[in-house]
C-alpha cells in the first residue's frame, strides 16, 4: 500500500484483501472484548470542512480502541479556516501527528496536503471520492454474500463521490457495477474512462429498472450531497424516479441486500419500508466503517 489513501489509485487488488483480512480479525477481537492496542501512543488529526457522524465517530473510536488518540479539528476553528496554507499546515502537523484524516470539498486539497505531509493522509470524503465508505461497503458484501466476486451491484441515483468510488473499485476488483443516473448527473467521466480500461464490468444506464434487474445489491445515496444545498429543489424533481422502493426491489434477486452509506432521506432516494425492511443491511454497513477504519489506520500508521 502507498503512504496515503486518497483514492483507490493508491491500492492494488491485493491491498483490498489485506485490509479486509485484517478487518475480519479486528472485528472478531472487538466482538470478543479482547484488547488490540496496536497503535499505542499514536495520534491522528481529523480535519473536517463538512459535517460527519459515522466518519468522525468511527475514526475517533477506532483510534481509541487501537490505543491511540484522535483530535477533531474543525477547520473553522483552526488557522486553516483563516487562510493558513495547506503546505504549512501539512509540514507542521507532520511534526505533531502520526496521520491525518481529512474531509473537505476539493480532491486537489487532499492531494496537496498529502504532497506536503511526511505522514499518511486518509481521504474521509471529498466532492469527488469517498474511498473509506466503499471499503466498508465491499467488506459488508463479502460478509453477507461470502464474496464480492461475480456479484452485481446496482447503484441508483446521483453520480456523486460515492458513485465515483464504486467505479474506481469496480475497475480493480471482479464484480459487476450497473449505475442508473439521470442525464446531467453522471459520474466523473475521467474516472469512468479509467475504469473502463481494465477488465471491469461497468454499465451506465438512465433506467433504474435496467440497473436493478437481477442485482445482488441495491445501493443508493442522497440526491443532494453536502455543498449542493442550493440545488436541492431542482434535484428533488430530477431524481424522483431514481428511488429504491418496493417495485425496484422486486426486480432484483430474491435474496438481494439493500445498502446506503447514510445519512438517508426516507421518501426521497429510498422508501422507509425498504430501508427499514428485512433486506436492508445499512446498520451493519455503518458498523463496519469502524472495523475497516481500524484496519486502514493500522496499515498506514
Ligand atoms: N457515510 C458517511 O460518511 O457518513 P457521515 O457523513 O456521517 O460521516
Ligand atoms: N454523497 C454524500 C455522502 C455522505 C456520506 C455527500 O457527499 O454528502
Amino acid at each position: 500500500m502507498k503512504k496515503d489513501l486518497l483514492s483507490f489509485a493508491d491500492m492494488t487488488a491485493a491491498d483490498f484483501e489485506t485490509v479486509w483480512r485484517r478487518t475480519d480479525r479486528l472485528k472478531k477481537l472487538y466482538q470478543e472484548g479482547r484488547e488490540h492496542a496496536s497503535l499505542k501512543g499514536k495520534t491522528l488529526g481529523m480535519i473536517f470542512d463538512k459535517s460527519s457522524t459515522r466518519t468522525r465517530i468511527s475514526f475517533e473510536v477506532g483510534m481509541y480502541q487501537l490505543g491511540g488518540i484522535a483530535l477533531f479539528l474543525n477547520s473553522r476553528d483552526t488557522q486553516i479556516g483563516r487562510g493558513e496554507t495547506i503546505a504549512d499546515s501539512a509540514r507542521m502537523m507532520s511534526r505533531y501527528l502520526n496521520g491525518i484524516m481529512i474531509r473537505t470539498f476539493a480532491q486537489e486539497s487532499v492531494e496537496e496536503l498529502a504532497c506536503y505531509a511526511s505522514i499518511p493522509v486518509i481521504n474521509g470524503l471529498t466532492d469527488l471520492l469517498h474511498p473509506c465508505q466503499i471499503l466498508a461497503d465491499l467488506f459488508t458484501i463479502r460478509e453477507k454474500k461470502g464474496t464480492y466476486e461475480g456479484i452485481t451491484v446496482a447503484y441508483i441515483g446521483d453520480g456523486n463521490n460515492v458513485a465515483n468510488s464504486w467505479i474506481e473499485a469496480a475497475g480493480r476488483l471482479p464484480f459487476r457495477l450497473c449505475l442508473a443516473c439521470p442525464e446531467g448527473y453522471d459520474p466523473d467521466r475521467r474516472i469512468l474512462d479509467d475504469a473502463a480500461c481494465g477488465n471491469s464490468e461497468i454499465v451506465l444506464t438512465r433506467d433504474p429498472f435496467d440497473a436493478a434487474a437481477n442485482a445482488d445489491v441495491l445501493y443508493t445515496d442522497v440526491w443532494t450531497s453536502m455543498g449542493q444545498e442550493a440545488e436541492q429543489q431542482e434535484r428533488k424533481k430530477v431524481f424522483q424516479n431514481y428511488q429504491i422502493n418496493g417495485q425496484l426491489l422486486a426486480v432484483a434477486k430474491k435474496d438481494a441486500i439493500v445498502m446506503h452509506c447514510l445519512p438517508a432521506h426516507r421518501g426521497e432516494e429510498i422508501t422507509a419500508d425498504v430501508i427499514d425492511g428485512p433486506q436492508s443491511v445499512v446498520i451493519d454497513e455503518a458498523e463496519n466503517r469502524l472495523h475497516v477504519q481500524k484496519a486502514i489506520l493500522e496499515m498506514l500508521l
Side-chain angles (χ1 to χ4, degrees), residues 51-56 103 130 133 226 261-263 289:
S51 306
S52 171
T53 301
R54 281 144 289 270
T55 304
R56 176 179 175 182
R103 166 170 288 197
H130 196 2
Q133 178 68 49
M226 290 180 277
C261 57
L262 304 178
R289 292 291 305 278

Side-chain angles (χ1 to χ4, degrees), residues 50 103 125 130 160-162 221-222 224-226 261-263:
K50 292 177 174 174
R103 166 170 288 197
L125 180 147
H130 196 2
N160 61 16
N161 41 14
V162 170
D221 185 14
V222 291
T224 304
S225 285
M226 290 180 277
C261 57
L262 304 178

Side-chain angles (χ1 to χ4, degrees), residues 1-13 15-16 107 110-111 114 121-123 129 131 168 172 299-300:
M1 205 140 150
K2 292 194 182 158
K3 165 182 154 283
D4 309 297
L5 174 50
L6 310 184
S7 75
F8 289 145
D10 295 326
M11 289 178 66
T12 62
D15 289 333
F16 282 89
Q107 178 73 15
V110 176
E111 280 162 15
V121 173
I122 301 169
N123 180 353
L129 296 169
E168 280 202 335
R172 284 164 178 78
M299 288 175 70
L300 294 182

Side-chain angles (χ1 to χ4, degrees), residues 34-153:
R34 287 161 63 190
E35 205 176 303
H36 42 282
S38 51
L39 293 184
K40 221 166 176 204
K42 303 267 184 189
T43 311
L44 177 78
M46 306 189 301
I47 304 172
F48 281 93
D49 273 333
K50 292 177 174 174
S51 306
S52 171
T53 301
R54 281 144 289 270
T55 304
R56 176 179 175 182
I57 297 177
S58 55
F59 271 106
E60 195 161 335
V61 170
M63 277 304 286
Y64 175 77
Q65 290 179 358
L66 293 173
I69 61 155
L71 277 85
F72 175 69
L73 304 166
N74 182 335
S75 55
R76 275 194 311 273
D77 303 330
T78 66
Q79 299 291 5
I80 300 175
R82 296 181 60 249
E84 184 164 18
T85 67
I86 291 179
D88 282 349
S89 305
R91 290 191 192 104
M92 168 273 298
M93 284 184 185
S94 298
R95 303 285 177 98
Y96 293 131
L97 303 167
N98 301 105
I100 302 171
M101 192 283 304
I102 176 165
R103 166 170 288 197
T104 189
F105 296 88
Q107 178 73 15
E108 293 72 26
S109 306
V110 176
E111 280 162 15
E112 193 182 346
L113 188 74
C115 169
Y116 290 102
S118 58
I119 54 175
V121 173
I122 301 169
N123 180 353
L125 180 147
T126 61
D127 291 344
L128 190 70
L129 296 169
H130 196 2
C132 295
Q133 178 68 49
I134 278 57
L135 276 171
D137 295 339
L138 279 161
F139 178 81
T140 308
I141 292 171
R142 193 172 158 275
E143 266 186 348
K144 302 286 176 193
K145 297 280 171 197
T147 179
Y148 53 84
E149 281 189 41
I151 67 135
T152 300
V153 177

